[in-house]
Amino acid sequence: DGGITQSPKYLFRKEGQNVTLSCEQNLNHDAMYWYRQDPGQGLRLIYYSQIVNDFQKGDIAEGYSVSREKKESFPLTVTSAQKNPTAFYLCASSIDRGRGGYTFGSGTRLTVV
Amino acid sequence: GQQVMQIPQYQHVQEGEDFTTYCNSSTTLSNIQWYKQRPGGHPVFLIQLVKSGEVKKQKRLTFQFGEAKKNSSLHITATQTTDVGTYFCAGTYIKNTDKLIFGTGTRLQVFP
């Protein structure tokens, strides 16, 4: 079955550490996205990529970095510069620049301890 | 920045009652999409509206896109306990259709 796999499901990080969240899709979608969701709030766009080796900042990119070396993969690194990293991180992909809807992964819940 | 506002934030209904959530943008949207997120889950795409004044139905769900393409609504007739979750609208803007901006969401609780 095609879909998006995010790992790990739960992640604990010490303050000052960088951590990388994995996102893999086998849907053959060109576009991939990272969103952050805080409790009781909507989704805010961190980074997005419409094509391999290219990506753009979203609305809250500070303290995050991404890479898009392969069509299937779009990992997100939460750096120590991110002041408030505890959140639910959702990866999504779409065909044709989002027309027809996004497919989301099951998310990674990151907690800073 | 561009924002999509949604009301109400919460709605509690008795099973069998109707439910409506409203989505508003200060800027004209290129299209609007609706998603449902079950508690502890991830958003699942429901539908996309593109044309001014468009109305689409999915069983008990009715989706509308305003004439000015600045607002949208989702109406659920005769709610069931399986409708529980948070409903998000999400829109793209004409100047940048690559970015999907999500509304704040409406959390629906249905009591049996």
Side-chain angles (χ1 to χ4, degrees):
Chain A
D1 284 340
I4 297 184
T5 301
Q6 286 188 247
S7 62
K9 190 166 184 173
Y10 299 95
L11 189 58
F12 296 88
R13 188 196 93 175
K14 291 183 180 178
E15 280 193 31
Q17 284 183 338
N18 292 356
V19 63
T20 297
L21 281 58
S22 170
C23 178
E24 303 278 333
Q25 56 103 353
N26 60 3
L27 299 165
N28 200 32
H29 286 173
D30 287 316
M32 297 187 74
Y33 313 83
W34 274 105
Y35 284 88
R36 168 182 172 139
Q37 186 174 32
D38 292 286
Q41 297 190 30
L43 282 68
R44 292 183 291 167
L45 183 62
I46 305 173
Y47 268 98
Y48 63 105
S49 167
Q50 298 291 352
I51 198 168
V52 174
N53 291 322
D54 189 38
F55 49 82
Q56 282 76 43
K57 292 182 179 179
D59 300 318
I60 55 165
E62 186 175 350
Y64 299 98
S65 66
V66 293
S67 63
R68 188 85 187 277
E69 297 176 2
K70 298 187 300 181
K71 187 175 185 177
E72 303 79 19
S73 179
F74 192 40
L76 172 75
T77 297
V78 185
T79 75
S80 56
Q82 169 50 236
K83 300 298 179 200
N84 203 11
T86 295
F88 188 43
Y89 290 88
L90 287 157
C91 179
S93 71
S94 74
I95 196 165
D96 194 20
R97 295 176 179 265
R99 288 181 273 276
Y102 287 14
T103 300
F104 281 87
S106 54
T108 292
R109 201 167 294 276
L110 173 65
T111 303
V112 174
V113 296
Chain B
Q2 293 155 337
Q3 284 190 320
V4 179
M5 304 304 295
Q6 231 177 306
I7 56 169
Q9 190 174 5
Y10 301 99
Q11 184 82 58
H12 298 168
V13 299
Q14 202 76 34
E15 191 172 22
E17 292 182 337
D18 291 357
F19 160 76
T20 305
T21 173
Y22 301 90
C23 186
N24 290 285
S25 169
S26 57
T27 311
T28 302
L29 296 164
S30 176
N31 66 69
I32 193 114
Q33 299 178 10
W34 284 90
Y35 292 78
K36 176 183 178 181
Q37 184 176 24
R38 287 201 161 96
H42 57 276
V44 174
F45 173 73
L46 295 176
I47 207 160
Q48 175 173 276
L49 305 171
V50 178
K51 299 177 183 175
S52 168
E54 189 170 12
V55 178
K56 287 188 176 180
K57 292 190 175 185
Q58 287 180 350
K59 296 183 181 178
R60 295 179 294 105
L61 277 61
T62 301
F63 305 84
Q64 293 189 333
F65 201 8
E67 294 289 342
K69 299 183 74 173
K70 288 185 177 182
N71 56 73
S72 181
S73 65
L74 158 59
H75 179 82
I76 302 178
T77 304
T79 54
Q80 300 174 359
T81 53
T82 53
D83 294 326
V84 165
T86 301
Y87 292 84
F88 291 99
C89 63
T92 61
Y93 292 90
I94 295 170
K95 287 190 176 180
N96 186 350
T97 56
D98 290 344
K99 291 171 61 174
L100 189 63
I101 307 299
F102 277 77
T104 46
T106 296
R107 183 186 293 181
L108 172 65
Q109 182 62 264
V110 180
F111 296 108

